[in-house]
Structure formats: structure tokens, C-alpha cells
Amino acid sequence: MSNFPKDFLWGGATAANQLEGAYNEDGKGLTGQDLTRKGWREAPTEEPMEDNLKLIGIDFYHRYKEDIRLFAEMGFKVYRMSIAWARIFPKGDEQEPNEAGLAFYDKVFDECLKYGIEPLVTLSHYEMPLHLTRTYDGWRSREVIDFFEHYTKTVFTRYQDKVKYWLTFNEINSISHVPFLSGGINTPKEELTKQDIYQAIHHELVASARAVKACHEIIPQAQIGCMILGVPVYPLTPEPKDVLKALATERENFFFSDVQVRGYYPSYSQRLFKENDIQLEITNQDLSDLKHTVDFISFSYYMSVCESADPTKEAGEGNIIGGIPNPYLKASDWGWQIDPEGLRYYLNCLYDRYQKPVFIVENGLGAVDELVELPDGTKTVLDDYRINYMNDHLVQVEEALKDGVEIMGYTSWGCIDLISFTTAEIKKRYGMIYVDRNQDGSGTLNRYKKKSFHWYKEIIESNGDSLSR
């Protein structure tokens, strides 16, 4: 007997810059993603380079009908996607939007609704118009708050009858780790002080709150949430210093949701600011704006980390947030530790902290997949490893539901293969739909259903009843 509620929102998640392609079509402006060929660790190039796989992505821009049809075949109730801000305002500071960009998303939303799929739309998913990055230094500038507010009001007004679920910023707590792609900040990371970073964070939090206010005014029947990079932090040992170090790291991440859910800065931030000589410029209007709080909390979940007060302990490779690998856990091909129970733990932490609905909007396994041909001529990927990963995590989601956590839904990350954010590779595949594109850019872009496609379809059809427990 399934413990998932009848209205549980099953689906998948993607980001515009990782699958749309068409980076310079129909008036779209450039973003930082068009200049980062190798992922978040690499310095941006001056101009887009041909070996940047994101420029074509998986060509969703021209193939969205086929892809949404496949999502519908899997039984999606919801599709989490993002709007490319630079399709709507190519430079970011214009008054008038780009009609071709608005029209594209009209078509995508109509296609989703045709199949009864609710769009869940992220307003800014690791991208900002490049002009705002180069001219204003992204979120370091207070002026960008107004540009973002104008953009959000434009899309809320345009899509008010089509989109009921919105998110403000993707993984907003990543800005201090990835200031260029997460915060649109042009100044090199090594030149930024904590004062610079936290002032940029403040501007982004105010912008998020203004988007919430605008959404509630323009689409009162809609729900709008925040989105954080969810990483449970365990002490490496029971040594009290390790426990306190884990608490401090946890607070660095919860700081963002604390402000967006509660509407004010948490008390623990005062010590952080004082000890790092951070003096934020906060206006009375900012304080008023921040009181416009989100309706739910959404997050990505891929791994947990450990923390230690011992500086000789090595951080793990590949993870944006850092942290020390847990000796009790196995890791993926990219060194991300696999911890299904950590998802249950984190769901409980969030709900205990906020008593607001939570939504798992990213979870999945990045792996090297092999396309094979079956005796009947069908091409597929026998990805039992992905099925096992998703099954084990969803079993823990069910446990959290039994714990009393109010969970809105689950959207698996990269439900169709796309370009990785962290490494800008296509070989790091998350999807349940295989896309024939190779690391050198070659391939037909044809779509093939993996074994996990049929498994997930059955999970959704049975509302979780067919999970292996």
C-alpha cells in the first residue's frame, strides 16, 4: 500500500541552459553559461566557443514537442523547467521584453498543459543576461534587483493562466562557491571579500522576496517557493568540535532558506557578520520586502557530507559545497556520495525547522550510460544502477511521509539527458531518456527510452506502490 498522497506531483527537472540550445536564436542574449565550456571551475571565455556543448544542448528549443510527449508517456504530473532570462530581456536592463522569447515559453507551457502536466518554473537557474554581469557585476549591484523584478512581473503577467508553481533562484546558497554562474558576478572569485559576497547575497534575497510579492499580487492562486542546494552535514566524529563545525556549515546553507521562509536575518548571522567585519547596506525598504516569504521550500539532493574541525581532513572532489567524504558511504562515478537515508533526514530537518511544505526538485544519478541494441532491434540503456538509486531514495521519501513530513512532489534531475552544470559534459548522464550526442558534439540527437523510463512510468502509475522496499 502506497503512502504517497493522491495529489503527489511526480515528474522530472531540467534547466534552460543545459538543454535548450539555440543560444543566439530569436533575439536571445548571451549569458555566462554561453562562455563556460568546461563547467563551473573554468574561467569564462570572451566569446562563445564551438566546443561549448550548451550552445546546442540537446536542441530542446526545436524538439520540445517530442520531449514533452515522452514526459507525458512516463506519466509526469509536473515538469520543472526554467525560463532563460536572456530570452525575455536579452540585455536584462531593457524596458520592453523580447516577444519571440515570450512566445517560445507560451508554446512550451501549452504543450505541457495539453497532457495535463503542470509546469514548475524556475525564474533564474544559474544564468543571468551577460550584459548585467559585465556592466553591473551581477548581484553585487543593487540596480539588478529592479531589473529582476521587472522580468518577474513580465513573466507572471504573461503566464498567469498557465503556471501555478514557481521558484525564484536555483540553489541560491551556491553563490559564494560559484559567484560567476550563480550570482552573475564578473569579478574573479579570488578578488571577492566576504563583504562583497554577502552584499550580493542580500541583493539577491531582496530580489527573491520582491518576486514572491509580485507573484502573490499578480497570480494569487499560484504558489512560489525558494530553492536551495540541499546537503545534510554530519559531524565526522562525535568529538564536540566536529559537531559544532557541522552545525556552522549547516547554518551557512540554512541561512538562505531561513531568510526566505521567515522573512528576516537569523540571529546566528550576527556573529558571522561581526567576526568577518561584514557591514551590509540594508534599507528599511529591504527589511519590508524580506517579509514577503515563500509558500514552500524546494531543494536539490544528491549527497551528504561530513565536517571536521581537523584542518588536515581532505574535502571530497567534485562537490560544489565541499565537505569530507563519509567513510560509511559509496560514491558515484563523479565522487558524489550516495546516501538515501540522508534524504529522509534532510526532509525531516527542513519540516521540523519551518513547518512548510517541501518539494524535492532535483535528485538523480549521473553516470556513464551505454546505448545497446536488444534482439528485437530496440535501442536502450540497461541502467539498473539508476533504477536502484532512484528506488532507494524514493523509499526514503516514503519514510519521511510516514514521519509526518508534508512533501509536495519529486522531480528527478535531468529526466532527459542534458549537459552537466558542474563539468559541462554530456557523458555524465542523468536521464531516463537517452539523447544521442557525444562529448565531441557528434550524434544524431535522437531520443531513446532507457530501462529506467519504463520503471519510472510504473512508479508514477502506481503512485509509488511498485517501489521495491
Side-chain angles (χ1 to χ4, degrees), residues 86-314:
R87 284 204 193 281
I88 312 304
F89 291 98
K91 292 171 68 179
D93 56 3
E94 303 96 331
Q95 271 305 110
E96 293 304 315
N98 171 33
E99 176 56 33
L102 289 167
F104 168 68
Y105 292 107
D106 267 321
K107 291 184 286 189
V108 172
F109 298 147
D110 288 344
E111 199 66 21
C112 287
L113 296 170
K114 181 172 96 178
Y115 294 106
I117 299 171
E118 293 286 354
L120 165 61
V121 178
T122 312
L123 290 160
S124 178
H125 192 128
Y126 283 146
E127 60 181 327
M128 164 186 288
L130 186 63
H131 173 73
L132 297 185
T133 295
R134 289 182 167 169
T135 308
Y136 300 91
D137 214 8
W139 286 112
R140 288 190 66 195
S141 168
R142 182 171 280 278
E143 288 177 90
V144 174
I145 299 174
D146 292 332
F147 301 142
F148 184 73
E149 183 179 21
H150 182 50
Y151 155 61
T152 61
K153 286 180 174 178
T154 301
V155 296
F156 290 150
T157 303
R158 176 74 169 229
Y159 307 124
Q160 60 185 303
D161 297 323
K162 298 181 181 183
V163 181
K164 295 195 298 198
Y165 301 101
W166 298 87
L167 303 175
T168 55
F169 295 100
N170 180 71
E171 295 185 337
I172 189 170
N173 50 325
S174 64
I175 183 171
S176 56
H177 305 276
V178 199
F180 179 71
L181 289 175
S182 182
I185 297 172
N186 208 36
T187 302
K189 182 179 176 180
E190 59 273 14
E191 294 175 24
L192 295 168
T193 63
K194 286 198 173 181
Q195 167 77 31
D196 297 332
I197 287 287
Y198 274 93
Q199 190 65 55
I201 287 168
H202 175 71
H203 294 154
E204 196 171 5
L205 288 168
V206 171
S208 176
R210 285 211 207 160
V212 170
K213 179 175 185 277
C215 183
H216 286 158
E217 288 172 353
I218 297 168
I219 332 175
Q221 70 276 20
Q223 293 185 62
I224 184 164
C226 61
M227 196 286 196
I228 57 173
L229 201 168
V231 182
V233 183
Y234 309 142
L236 188 63
T237 74
E239 154 83 76
K241 286 185 174 65
D242 283 3
V243 176
L244 286 169
K245 174 68 173 174
L247 174 66
T249 303
E250 196 174 60
R251 281 175 164 176
E252 284 176 20
N253 293 318
F254 279 142
F255 167 82
F256 294 82
S257 46
D258 282 351
V259 176
Q260 292 177 290
V261 177
R262 294 172 176 162
Y264 53 86
Y265 277 78
S267 55
Y268 60 79
S269 65
Q270 300 313 309
R271 178 171 183 174
L272 169 76
F273 295 160
K274 187 178 179 183
E275 292 185 353
N276 290 281
D277 198 24
I278 296 167
Q279 296 175 325
L280 297 183
E281 179 196 299
I282 301 176
T283 67
N284 287 332
Q285 185 59 51
D286 293 346
L287 295 173
S288 175
D289 287 336
L290 288 175
K291 289 176 181 162
H292 294 277
T293 55
V294 293
D295 302 309
F296 63 94
I297 304 106
S298 76
F299 66 97
S300 59
Y301 179 78
Y302 297 100
M303 62 188 294
S304 58
V305 296
C306 293
E307 280 291 0
S308 171
D310 181 351
T312 65
K313 300 297 182 189
E314 289 295 317

